[in-house]
Amino acid sequence: MAKFLVQKSAPLRGEVKISGSKNAVLPIMAATLLTEEECTIKDVPALRDVDVMCELLENLGATVNKDLKNNRVNIAAEGDISYEAPFDLVKMMRASILVLGTLLLRTGRAVIHLPGGCAIGKRPVELHLKGLKALGVEINEDQLLRGIVDAKADELKGCTIYLDFPSVGATEVIIMAASLAKGITVLENAAQEPEIVDLANFLNKMGARIKGAGTDTIKIEGVERLKGVSHHVIPDRIEAGTFMVGAVITRGNVLVKNIVPDHLKAVIAKLRECGAEISMTDEGLRVRGDVNTIVSTDVKTLPYPGFPTDMQSPFMALLTVAKGPSVVIETVFENRFMHVGEFNRMGANIKTDGSCAIIPGDKSLQGAQVVATDLRAGAAVVLTGLVAEGTTEVTQIYHIDRGYENFVDKLRTLGANIMRMED
Ligand code: UD1
């Protein structure tokens, strides 16, 4: 199996260009099935999850032309589209569920085996289904008990839907489905993540009428048809946050380019609380961890605009070496502390109790053999490896390949001592 070897490194210095957002591009790719015309998506990151989504769309009958060297994908879903998403692909990526609403609109039916992806909690889809049922979709309850979503609909009708929790995936599936439903849909307690706004912008370019994306109430007026368009994906705020932590944990000085500072408010605020100096320049965010002592701070993850759960493990990496103890509370996923065991192998001595982790801080970490337990946790153990004595060997790095474009090259350009070893 491929692995990373990470050595204690000099402070990261230089500049890094952030790639297009994984979590924005996946729903946008799913949305291309809503038209028979060709869509061009630009700034697409070259990632395993993007490959899987391309394969899924091709399998469903779309023509996909992928040029990831130039970060571009063309998708034309003309002709017959299949209603069944193959299990082999769906099990590789939870985001496959995003085609649920689009398949219903294109074919009147959708059959999807409940998805895999990162093993961070139960990750159910009842909110997606509740929303679709309200729009007039019939769900086969017997199949659901067997882990298969088998949904049918002759026609979708707009209505008011209240989400019990602002689920990102449910919000995206419902927006897509409501775009071509009859009448007006109002989605209350919707997720407000920037990736939702990017999807709504894409759909609106296609001819949809969506208002309020980025707030907790989204109004969608159904239209008759959508057309093919070209779209640039927003930059990846989680990749940006990961490199920002990399700059601070190594006491470095890095210019992080191609970012939207507004999307990073919570991360910027927390890094400043730790003592990092962060300033906006014409070229990007200048992040300095080389000026002050890095001190601890407490963190609680929340839906956007709160502190992102996807930044919890990279930030915890920083807290293991910051001065003083800190508390991290995870409220979005119920099982997202698997990286704690890996940090502890390196000497972090973190204790957890339910959704709460207590990090003593002030630790001199030791390199160890660790596992990338999920996508973000994988990046997090690489960050700790940069400041640990000796060598850190990270396995199961396919998780990292799912979500970080050219991770090793970007880190090496900043001076990190990391290399990838293939089998
Ligand atoms: C998306 C992101 C993921 C991020 C997460 C939260 C993508 C491809 N992935 O995942 O990186 O960590 O948002 O910001 O965009 N839930 C339910 N019932 C449901 C749906 C969700 O209880 O029907 C719960 C989940 O179990 C989880 C929480 O809601 O505890 C958040 O899930 P959700 O917002 O749906 O995350 P994803 O869309 O899967």
Side-chain angles (χ1 to χ4, degrees):
M1 255 207 292
K3 60 187 174 194
F4 289 156
L5 291 182
V6 190
Q7 307 279 347
K8 183 166 180 162
S9 300
L12 298 189
R13 287 188 194 282
E15 49 184 65
V16 61
K17 182 170 179 249
I18 298 306
S19 301
S21 161
K22 167 180 95 69
N23 288 353
V25 79
L26 297 175
I28 286 172
M29 289 174 74
T32 61
L33 293 185
L34 293 172
T35 177
E36 297 206 359
E37 294 176 20
E38 185 175 76
C39 292
T40 301
I41 313 173
K42 297 173 187 167
D43 293 335
V44 178
L47 300 173
R48 182 79 196 111
D49 273 9
V50 168
D51 290 334
V52 174
M53 186 56 100
C54 286
E55 257 184 81
L56 176 60
L57 297 180
E58 265 179 340
N59 230 287
L60 292 170
T63 305
V64 179
N65 279 313
K66 182 168 79 161
D67 175 10
L68 289 184
K69 271 210 172 96
N70 291 306
N71 300 106
R72 180 189 288 249
V73 177
N74 291 330
I75 302 163
E78 52 189 348
D80 285 346
I81 292 294
S82 153
Y83 62 76
E84 185 156 10
F87 180 57
D88 280 355
L89 291 173
V90 174
K91 73 177 183 206
M92 290 166 75
M93 185 180 67
R94 177 181 163 82
S96 309
I97 197 74
L98 292 168
V99 297
L100 179 56
T102 53
L103 289 185
L104 277 164
L105 286 161
R106 272 304 282 271
T107 71
R109 192 164 174 205
V111 177
I112 303 180
H113 294 251
L114 287 177
C118 285
I120 44 174
K122 291 199 294 286
R123 308 191 78 171
V125 292
E126 88 276 0
L127 296 174
H128 310 50
L129 301 185
K130 187 179 160 192
L132 291 177
K133 276 189 203 165
L135 288 166
V137 174
E138 242 179 74
I139 310 284
N140 182 326
E141 299 296 337
D142 291 337
Q143 288 281 67
L144 197 55
L145 289 174
R146 299 173 49 222
I148 301 166
V149 176
D150 186 348
K152 275 189 199 152
D154 294 331
E155 185 183 69
L156 299 187
K157 278 204 185 117
C159 63
T160 296
I161 299 165
Y162 173 81
L163 287 183
D164 298 320
F165 179 85
S167 153
V168 173
T171 301
E172 290 165 346
V173 164
I174 294 167
I175 292 179
M176 287 190 246
S179 292
L180 286 171
K182 286 224 166 355
I184 292 176
T185 301
V186 179
L187 182 57
E188 293 171 344
N189 199 28
Q192 303 175 41
E193 271 69 0
E195 295 77 22
I196 307 277
V197 179
D198 207 26
L199 172 65
N201 287 342
F202 177 71
L203 289 166
N204 282 341
K205 269 191 211 168
M206 292 174 88
R209 295 199 189 126
I210 302 167
K211 285 191 182 148
T215 74
D216 64 359
T217 305
I218 304 179
K219 192 172 159 191
I220 307 120
E221 195 183 330
V223 295
E224 287 284 317
R225 64 177 293 277
L226 297 173
K227 62 174 193 285
V229 292
S230 169
H231 185 77
H232 284 271
V233 175
I234 55 170
D236 196 308
R237 64 195 166 97
I238 307 301
E239 188 201 4
T242 305
F243 279 98
M244 291 165 73
V245 171
V248 180
I249 198 172
T250 59
R251 309 290 195 266
N253 178 345
V254 174
L255 179 66
V256 186
K257 295 167 90 166
N258 191 36
I259 41 97
V260 180
D262 263 5
H263 296 171
L264 288 159
K265 275 184 186 161
V267 174
I268 292 172
K270 282 289 155 188
L271 285 175
R272 282 186 174 144
E273 277 177 30
C274 290
E277 285 195 1
I278 301 176
S279 51
M280 189 59 206
T281 73
D282 288 347
E283 291 179 289
L285 275 183
R286 167 72 56 194
V287 183
R288 299 194 63 169
D290 59 347
V291 273
N292 298 317
T293 306
I294 297 304
V295 294
S296 63
T297 189
D298 296 339
V299 176
K300 186 176 186 176
T301 66
L302 287 168
Y304 191 84
F307 189 88
T309 173
D310 286 350
M311 279 303 299
Q312 185 249 108
S313 52
F315 207 83
M316 195 185 284
L318 176 63
L319 295 176
T320 62
V321 295
K323 190 170 169 48
S326 47
V327 175
V328 170
I329 300 174
E330 171 61 56
T331 76
V332 178
F333 287 106
E334 79 276 13
N335 183 22
R336 206 171 194 178
F337 282 146
M338 286 176 307
H339 44 279
V340 165
E342 307 309 306
F343 289 158
N344 284 348
R345 271 186 234 276
M346 302 174 81
N349 197 21
I350 300 167
K351 298 208 166 35
T352 58
D353 184 5
S355 61
C356 180
I358 297 165
I359 300 112
D362 285 318
K363 291 287 178 270
S364 302
L365 300 176
Q366 297 298 318
Q369 291 192 343
V370 292
V371 170
T373 52
D374 72 44
L375 162 55
R376 307 302 168 185
V381 289
V382 167
L383 296 181
T384 42
L386 296 177
V387 291
E389 292 300 331
T391 305
T392 298
E393 188 180 312
V394 185
T395 52
Q396 292 188 19
I397 58 172
Y398 53 84
H399 281 301
I400 304 175
D401 295 339
R402 285 187 41 225
Y404 288 90
E405 185 180 48
N406 299 333
F407 194 46
V408 166
D409 289 347
K410 287 184 181 183
L411 280 169
R412 285 175 70 91
T413 304
L414 295 172
N417 197 337
I418 175 170
M419 58 183 203
R420 185 185 180 109
M421 309 276 288
E422 294 303 335
D423 230 347

